[in-house]
Amino acid sequence: SGMQVTSCIFSGLSDDATNHQGSHGRIVSFDSGSGRLVYKQNLATLGYTATCYSFAVGDRVRIYTSSGRVLCDTEALSVTKSIGEVDGYEQYEILIAPDALDPELLSGYDLSSNAAADSKVLIDNLDRNGDGFVYDNVLAENIRSRGFLVKCGGSVIRNCSFRNIGMAAVALVF
């Protein structure tokens, strides 16, 4: 359902041939009685600040750990609402079905702002993210930086060739 790049050549670039952005937030709290989920912008890898794309009613919500374990796939029952800044980070809330996320799944993770990177619980709007792209039969050559910089998942890279790339041919950054 995402972008399709087929039979293309990227050549002679001074930066990444592609930078496919995905953006997520970091779960701060979940009230299983009301389904209220609070999240904040996430300081992403490489120093970019990333905020989960706003939700509309019916958008697909994915809640997962920074190690990739999916805790919940559900849908938003409300639009995103900004609830103010805490410790320098804007916080947001949405409603999901109260029984969509088992609070026991969160018990092993530290939702505090100083949690270790491997204990983060993240939220993603699957309907407004960069997921689902396809790169097929693409040549990336003579590029000073990376071939494909990918910051989202659920996608396909096939039949692609890379020549004379200054950094990684494909860099997966989450």
Side-chain angles (χ1 to χ4, degrees):
S1 66
M3 177 180 73
Q4 309 281 314
V5 179
T6 305
S7 300
C8 293
I9 298 174
F10 296 99
S11 184
L13 303 171
S14 61
D15 203 356
D16 308 326
T18 66
N19 183 336
H20 208 91
Q21 180 70 34
S23 191
H24 54 269
R26 187 163 163 191
I27 301 293
V28 173
S29 67
F30 175 65
D31 179 350
S32 61
S34 66
R36 180 178 184 254
L37 188 87
V38 176
Y39 63 95
K40 67 178 185 175
Q41 67 189 31
N42 187 55
L43 245 179
T45 309
L46 302 178
Y48 296 104
T49 299
T51 301
C52 182
Y53 295 103
S54 294
F55 290 91
V57 173
D59 280 354
R60 294 176 299 148
V61 177
R62 171 161 291 165
I63 299 169
Y64 59 102
T65 68
S66 52
S67 64
R69 179 179 175 214
V70 175
L71 304 179
C72 172
D73 275 326
T74 189
E75 67 179 47
L77 300 179
S78 71
V79 298
T80 300
K81 176 183 173 188
S82 175
I83 57 173
E85 191 174 294
V86 175
D87 296 328
Y89 292 95
E90 189 68 27
Q91 293 196 352
Y92 308 90
E93 73 174 23
I94 62 166
L95 294 177
I96 62 173
D99 62 350
L101 176 60
D102 180 353
E104 288 297 314
L105 292 175
L106 297 176
S107 65
Y109 296 93
D110 182 358
L111 302 181
S112 69
S113 58
N114 56 0
D118 61 352
S119 68
K120 292 179 187 176
V121 179
L122 307 172
I123 183 171
D124 214 340
N125 184 336
L126 296 182
D127 286 322
R128 302 185 194 284
N129 201 334
D131 290 5
F133 71 83
V134 174
Y135 291 125
D136 189 8
N137 192 35
V138 173
L139 170 62
E141 66 178 2
N142 304 320
I143 297 172
R144 293 178 55 175
S145 189
R146 290 166 283 262
F148 301 157
L149 176 57
V150 179
K151 301 177 193 172
C152 55
S155 303
V156 175
I157 299 173
R158 65 177 169 237
N159 304 318
C160 296
S161 299
F162 302 90
R163 293 192 299 236
N164 194 23
I165 305 294
M167 297 169 75
V170 178
L172 303 174
V173 181
F174 291 95

